[in-house]
């Protein structure tokens, strides 16, 4: 399903799109993502296969984060190969909306990061339209089981 993002209402707090299915109240994409991914740890990674750019992170609760690209915080211009070895046990520390670009990112931090830790986080830019599909699927199942 291809979405025209101009057809969506916008969240007044985050500036992101809000999904509304039938008579259900609209759901803010960022708030929905925070509920499902916030503070959850990485359980598995689906790396991009040869010839494909599809990759994902699976969280401990089974929620899938569809990843467009992964970047280290200290080197944002250098793409990171997303592997389980890189992020196993890391947790979603923040969910970020980039309203001008209709982009969504999460920040992963290693477990038990102290404030003075030298180990930087990783930003995952997520596939925006795939997130909307996942949110739509969840919402439509509430009215059409």
């Amino acid at each position: 399903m291809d979405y025209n993002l101009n057809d969506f209402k916008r969240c007044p707090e985050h500036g992101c799109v809000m999904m509304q299915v039938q008579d259900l109240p609209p759901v803010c994409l960022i708030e929905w993502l925070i509920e499902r991914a916030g503070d959850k740890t990485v359980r598995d990674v689906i790396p991009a296969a040869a010839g494909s750019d599809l990759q994902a992170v699976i969280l401990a609760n089974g929620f899938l984060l569809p990843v467009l690209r992964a970047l280290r915080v200290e080197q944002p211009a250098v793409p990171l190969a997303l592997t389980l070895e890189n992020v196993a046990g890391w947790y979603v520390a923040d969910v970020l909306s980039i309203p001008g670009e209709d982009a969504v990112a999460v920040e992963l931090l290693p477990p038990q990061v102290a404030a003075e830790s030298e180990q930087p986080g990783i930003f995952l830019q997520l596939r925006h339209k795939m997130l909307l599909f996942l949110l739509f699927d969840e919402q439509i199942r509430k009215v059409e089981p």
Side-chain angles (χ1 to χ4, degrees):
M1 181 176 274
D2 196 21
Y3 296 105
N4 179 351
L5 300 180
N6 294 326
D7 294 339
F8 288 84
K9 293 179 183 177
R10 295 289 172 156
C11 172
E13 182 178 347
H14 302 107
C16 64
V17 298
M18 296 182 71
M19 175 69 68
Q20 184 167 12
V21 173
Q22 294 185 10
D23 293 334
L24 295 175
V27 177
C28 167
L29 179 64
I30 295 298
E31 290 175 10
W32 173 79
L33 191 55
I34 289 169
E35 287 176 10
R36 273 130 196 92
D39 295 323
K40 304 296 186 288
T41 58
V42 175
R43 177 176 69 194
D44 202 0
V45 170
I46 301 171
S52 171
D53 64 351
L54 296 175
Q55 58 184 341
V57 168
I58 309 297
L59 301 177
N61 63 352
F63 190 76
L64 179 139
L65 294 174
V67 177
L68 180 62
R69 72 180 55 99
L71 307 165
R72 291 202 181 274
V73 170
E74 85 280 3
Q75 295 177 314
V78 180
L80 171 69
L82 191 59
T83 65
L84 186 57
E85 293 78 25
N86 288 346
V87 294
W90 289 44
Y91 71 97
V92 176
D94 202 1
V95 176
L96 311 160
S97 173
I98 308 166
E101 299 177 28
D102 278 319
V104 177
V106 298
E107 181 183 20
L108 294 179
L109 291 177
Q112 302 173 346
V113 171
E116 61 276 352
S117 173
E118 296 291 322
Q119 191 165 14
I122 295 172
F123 282 121
L124 301 178
Q125 183 178 353
L126 304 180
R127 294 183 176 278
H128 196 255
K129 291 184 179 181
M130 178 65 81
L131 288 174
L132 289 173
F133 173 79
L134 294 171
L135 174 54
F136 174 79
D137 183 65
E138 182 180 298
Q139 293 297 300
I140 198 71
R141 289 172 189 269
K142 292 177 180 177
V143 293
E144 298 179 8

